[in-house]
RNA sequence: GCACCCGUAGCUCAGCUGGAUAGAGUGCUCGCCUCCGAAGCGAGAGGUCGCAGGUUCAAGUCCUGCCGGGUGCACCA
């Protein structure tokens, strides 16, 4: 248990005692009471807002509440002092032994920070979900890294997580892909071909065309679409999914499930999902108002089958069937989310590119309607990635020609650097990814800085191999600073998991690395602070708990981000 | 025209889902490696948190309205 969680429990217990003794009125909610690290370390180790949040509902002066609470907490062995500060904060300073105990407890506890927050509830995280029409590009890379790290984070926080990829293999873009492969097939037979606007010109289809030739020989030559289209749709998407899976593997992303859009057609799944909405009176025939502002040239009123998404927070109702009776792209998406709801998830998360922002409300409306509001859907939008090299824009791909692929990035800097760097920004902030800076070995490269801290820990521990750690005796402020930072880890995990924001883990690791490096640097001036004491195994035994604990937390944190901790910097 | 996201130090960005004197990196200024664990270290300057109201003990954080930037806006996916 982290010191913060323990102190929180103590504070709540003390408040309950005060209630029992009549110092506080009955019927108060303690939900808003928090124990957190103060911004300014001079205020102490922890602070609680209990007195301030209880002042109003209890009708008491916050100072009086704080004073009474202070007296109770000071009686605890782990509290060195409790001081009431101006607005009504209660600042706590903990006994030195608390921090030493924490370090001793963490040094062999790889599960430190793991949380029961999720209570094993089922979460489905859908990410990447790129059209199977080509290799993954940088935008997908960010989504892949973000989604994967979020999934790991939720696992670490006690959720039962499924990582899922929705294959958009049902729409017209698959016809385009199939025709493109056909062109490459003709090419493989030595024919001259021309790629039009509605085909994919990328080199990655050359091999697919050749593979097709190897498989069917000249059977499809000079034949119409009706002969080969259906076969090529399958053949081409299968080939693309092989490509995409390999791309994901290069990034160390492993999905639990690939869900095919195509599998929804002709099976009644879409009809079933819409029947659920219909049963709730949310499906009707109607004509939409033309959009305000600029009117599309070819706009004309058409009667369509509509989903009354406005009943669930959307701005306008959305068509599920086109005027010709075919499904819109929204219909299978509804069915897919209905499938997820039926599979019993307590919570759904979709990771989209920012260009799909306009899609969020209708998707939330659909899930809300399908689950009667029981299953929350959180949609995380990932902003664009701007690629640069030494500050200069970096655009062309070696492979795809028109766009930079995931492979281009991973080949250049490796999966670890790719992943960490992608998480050094909040998901909804644009990300500048500089190839040169990403591999630079300096303090302003967070990847290196965190890896370096871990490598230093491991280096010390290799030197001290065979020495059994003793309980640490902390006495320097830099040592306490590291211990305090370690104490924050479980809180960071929970806060990040609750907010669905894995970047918080990356920033925390940077902070931890920073206080650790600071302590290391102090060892320059004060040899007594060094972890490895050449001629004094006893002293070393007392010192190495700290680097052990730090490496435990950095490993765990990097593990969440999907980054391999470095044993040494080479 | 509407919706969503963003606006914080010269620059790139954090800010723990309402807490105390708003932080980090970089850049700038000054001081530090004949020896030590310097792919650096220490110190300093730098801010009307886009603007204006509102909510309350407390607002960078929540609400409203503007300003500026990005994204998306009937049967395409």
């Amino acid at each position: 248990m982290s010191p913060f969680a323990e102190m929180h429990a103590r504070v709540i217990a003390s408040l309950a005692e005060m209630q029992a003794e009549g110092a506080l009125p009955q019927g108060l909610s303690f939900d808003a009471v928090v124990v957190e690290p103060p911004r300014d370390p001079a205020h102490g180790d922890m602070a609680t807002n209990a007195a301030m949040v209880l002042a109003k509902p209890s009708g008491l002066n916050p100072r009086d509440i704080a004073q009474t609470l202070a007296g109770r907490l000071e009686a605890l062995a782990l509290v060195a002092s409790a001081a009431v500060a101006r607005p009504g904060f209660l600042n706590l300073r903990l006994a030195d032994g608390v921090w030493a105990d924490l370090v001793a407890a963490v040094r062999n506890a790889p599960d430190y920070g793991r949380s029961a927050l999720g209570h094993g509830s089922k979460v489905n995280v859908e990410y990447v979900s790129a059209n199977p029409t080509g290799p993954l590009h940088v935008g997908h890379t960010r989504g892949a890294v973000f989604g994967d790290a979020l999934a790991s984070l939720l696992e670490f926080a006690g959720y039962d997580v499924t990582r899922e990829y929705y294959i958009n293999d049902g729409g017209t873009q698959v016809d385009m892909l199939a025709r493109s492969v056909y062109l490459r097939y003709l090419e493989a037979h030595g024919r001259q071909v021309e790629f039009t606007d509605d085909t994919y010109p990328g080199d990655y289809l050359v091999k697919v065309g050749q593979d097709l030739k190897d498989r069917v020989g000249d059977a499809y030559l000079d034949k119409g679409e009706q002969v080969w289209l259906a076969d090529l749709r399958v053949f081409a998407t299968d080939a693309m999914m092989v490509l995409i899976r390999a791309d994901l593997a290069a990034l160390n992303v492993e999905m639990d499930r690939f869900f095919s859009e195509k599998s929804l057609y002709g099976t009644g799944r879409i009809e079933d999902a819409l029947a659920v909405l219909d049963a709730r009176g949310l499906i009707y025939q109607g004509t939409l108002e033309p959009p305000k502002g600029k009117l599309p040239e070819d706009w004309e009123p058409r009667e369509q089958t509509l989903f009354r998404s406005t009943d669930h927070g959307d701005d306008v109702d959305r068509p599920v069937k086109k005027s010709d009776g075919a499904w819109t792209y929204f219909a299978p998406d509804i069915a897919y989310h209905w499938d997820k709801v039926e599979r019993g998830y307590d919570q759904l998360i979709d990771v989209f590119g920012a260009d799909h922002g306009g899609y969020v409300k209708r998707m939330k409306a659909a899930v809300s309607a399908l689950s009667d509001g029981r299953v929350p859907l959180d949609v995380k939008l990932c902003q664009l990635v701007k690629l640069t090299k030494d500050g200069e824009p970096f655009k062309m791909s070696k492979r795809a020609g028109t766009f930079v692929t995931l492979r281009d990035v991973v080949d250049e800097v490796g999966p670890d650097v790719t992943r960490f760097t992608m998480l050094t920004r909040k998901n909804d902030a644009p990300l500048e990814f500089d190839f040169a800076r990403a591999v630079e070995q300096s303090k302003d490269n967070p990847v290196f800085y965190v890896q370096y801290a871990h490598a230093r820990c491991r280096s010390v521990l290799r030197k001290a191999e065979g020495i059994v750690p003793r309980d640490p005796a902390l006495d320097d402020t830099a040592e306490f600073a590291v211990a305090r930072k370690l104490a924050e880890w479980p809180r960071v995990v929970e806060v990040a998991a609750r907010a669905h924001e894995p970047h918080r883990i990356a920033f925390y690791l940077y902070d931890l690395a920073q206080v650790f490096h600071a302590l290391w640097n102090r060892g320059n001036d004060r040899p007594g602070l060094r972890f490895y004491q050449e001629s004094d195994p006893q002293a070393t035994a007392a010192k190495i708990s700290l680097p052990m604990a730090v490496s435990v937390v950095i490993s765990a944190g990097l593990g969440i981000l999907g980054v391999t901790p470095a044993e040494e910097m080479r």
Side-chain angles (χ1 to χ4, degrees):
Chain A
M1 191 189 229
S2 88
F4 287 97
E6 183 170 357
M7 185 58 69
H8 183 256
R10 301 283 192 173
V11 168
I12 298 297
S14 297
L15 292 171
E17 286 170 23
M18 287 164 64
Q19 235 174 356
E21 291 168 12
L24 281 175
Q26 299 295 320
L28 289 177
S29 165
F30 297 148
D31 291 350
V33 174
V34 296
V35 174
E36 49 187 11
R39 283 207 179 143
D40 187 347
H43 290 135
D45 297 320
M46 297 178 179
T48 178
N49 63 350
M52 285 182 291
V53 297
L54 296 177
K56 193 169 185 182
S58 67
L60 296 170
N61 184 321
R63 292 192 68 88
D64 296 340
I65 302 175
Q67 206 54 254
T68 312
L69 183 60
R72 290 188 166 278
L73 295 177
E74 265 183 328
L76 301 171
L78 72 163
V79 176
S81 65
V84 180
R86 200 156 38 84
F89 280 103
L90 185 55
N91 290 324
L92 304 169
R93 191 164 292 285
L94 304 194
D96 289 355
V98 172
W99 303 113
D101 290 349
L102 173 77
V103 172
V106 172
R107 73 178 172 224
N108 284 320
D111 282 344
Y112 174 63
R114 241 176 227 284
S115 166
L117 182 70
H119 297 295
S121 68
K122 291 179 66 179
V123 185
N124 183 291
V125 185
E126 181 208 329
Y127 55 107
V128 191
S129 297
N131 292 340
T133 54
L136 298 177
H137 57 68
V138 239
H140 299 131
T141 309
R142 187 174 188 183
V145 170
F146 175 85
D148 203 49
L150 174 57
S152 299
L153 169 61
L154 291 174
E155 276 170 351
F156 200 72
Y159 292 87
D160 179 7
V161 181
T162 302
R163 296 150 201 260
E164 200 154 310
Y165 185 122
Y166 180 60
I167 309 171
N168 288 104
D169 54 4
T172 54
Q173 80 281 2
V174 175
D175 288 337
M176 286 170 58
L177 176 72
R179 292 187 188 109
S180 307
V181 168
Y182 186 70
L183 290 177
R184 292 300 187 184
Y185 164 76
L186 293 178
E187 221 173 37
H189 278 284
R191 305 283 179 92
Q192 282 291 324
V193 298
E194 196 171 316
F195 286 88
T196 52
D197 281 352
D198 56 352
T199 51
Y200 300 102
D203 291 348
Y204 54 88
L205 291 179
V206 172
K207 186 179 180 304
V208 183
Q210 273 159 356
D211 289 349
L212 181 63
K213 180 189 168 192
D214 292 345
R215 195 184 64 131
V216 303
D218 55 9
Y220 290 160
L221 280 180
D222 304 312
K223 296 290 195 318
E225 276 192 7
Q226 72 280 2
V227 175
W228 48 261
L229 188 65
D231 181 39
L232 288 205
R233 282 174 60 99
V234 176
F235 183 75
T237 50
D238 284 353
M240 291 303 100
M241 285 315 294
V242 168
L243 201 69
I244 286 171
R245 283 168 191 258
D247 281 352
L248 293 174
L251 244 196
N252 298 325
V253 171
E254 196 176 334
M255 295 287 172
D256 296 312
R257 179 163 184 174
F258 288 83
F259 192 104
S260 161
E261 174 192 357
K262 198 173 54 189
S263 74
L264 294 166
Y265 292 95
T267 57
R269 294 298 294 162
I270 297 176
E271 291 78 357
D272 287 350
L274 292 176
V276 173
L277 297 179
D278 200 19
R280 289 161 172 69
L282 296 171
I283 299 292
Y284 68 101
Q285 298 295 317
T287 307
L288 289 173
E289 293 285 308
K292 305 280 186 215
K294 55 169 190 194
L295 193 66
E297 281 298 321
D298 56 347
W299 195 90
E300 56 182 80
R302 287 193 182 90
E303 191 175 85
Q304 301 166 306
T305 304
L306 300 170
F307 163 44
R308 201 182 300 281
S309 55
T310 47
D311 273 13
H312 290 266
D314 202 357
D315 305 311
V316 291
D317 293 340
R318 306 290 177 176
V320 293
K321 250 185 200 178
K322 303 178 199 172
S323 50
D324 66 2
W327 299 119
T328 63
Y329 57 89
F330 187 36
D333 274 350
I334 292 173
Y336 174 44
H337 283 76
W338 167 236
D339 192 88
K340 290 198 264 193
V341 168
E342 272 196 313
R343 276 186 267 153
Y345 290 106
D346 301 297
Q347 191 183 156
L348 302 181
I349 299 175
D350 288 353
V351 179
F352 293 162
D355 54 343
H356 287 62
Y359 205 55
V360 174
K361 281 192 181 181
R362 80 191 66 172
M363 214 60 255
K364 285 190 175 183
V367 172
S368 168
L370 289 166
S371 71
D372 284 322
R374 283 194 315 270
V375 180
L377 166 68
D378 188 15
V379 180
K380 305 298 283 186
L381 299 178
C382 287
Q383 270 292 348
L384 299 179
V385 178
K386 186 180 150 197
L387 288 172
T388 58
K389 192 160 192 171
D390 290 316
E392 297 298 312
F394 188 89
K395 279 205 163 64
M396 291 300 266
S397 163
K398 288 175 280 187
R399 248 170 282 268
T402 50
F403 55 89
V404 178
T405 65
L406 178 149
R407 281 305 180 92
D408 291 329
V409 179
V410 173
D411 287 353
E412 189 84 14
V413 302
D416 287 337
V417 170
T418 303
R419 294 186 63 126
F420 197 104
T421 307
M422 289 280 179
L423 291 165
T424 54
R425 289 289 176 268
K426 206 161 45 176
N427 61 287
D428 52 14
L431 168 73
E432 181 177 327
F433 190 108
D434 192 290
F435 284 109
R437 220 185 50 198
V439 294
E440 187 177 289
Q441 305 205 329
S442 74
K443 185 176 180 174
D444 60 320
N445 180 2
V447 193
F448 167 77
Y449 200 61
V450 171
Q451 289 281 31
Y452 189 29
H454 186 264
R456 275 180 156 173
C457 290
R458 301 300 307 165
S459 161
V460 166
L461 297 175
R462 277 195 299 273
K463 275 201 214 172
E465 197 159 6
I467 295 178
V468 180
R470 287 195 295 125
D471 285 348
L474 309 177
D475 56 28
D476 189 82
T477 53
E479 292 175 328
F480 282 112
V482 174
R484 282 195 200 93
K485 192 52 78 175
L486 290 171
E488 291 178 27
W489 175 232
R491 295 187 70 248
V492 170
V493 170
E494 293 199 353
V495 167
R498 244 191 285 267
H500 299 164
E501 292 183 347
H503 76 277
R504 290 178 189 272
I505 303 297
F507 280 94
Y508 168 80
L509 291 177
Y510 185 82
D511 288 345
L512 176 59
Q514 194 162 41
V515 291
F516 178 77
H517 286 308
L519 170 57
W520 186 287
N521 291 328
R522 253 163 105 80
N524 292 336
D525 298 329
R526 301 178 49 185
L529 285 177
R530 297 177 190 181
F531 304 121
Y532 182 68
Q533 301 288 331
E534 195 90 40
S535 55
D536 190 346
Q538 281 293 315
T540 302
K543 289 289 182 197
I544 55 173
S545 288
L546 211 40
M548 285 175 81
V550 169
S551 79
V552 162
V553 172
I554 292 183
S555 300
L558 289 179
I560 290 171
L561 306 185
V563 176
T564 317
E567 288 295 313
E568 54 185 351
M569 305 307 286
R570 282 282 173 255

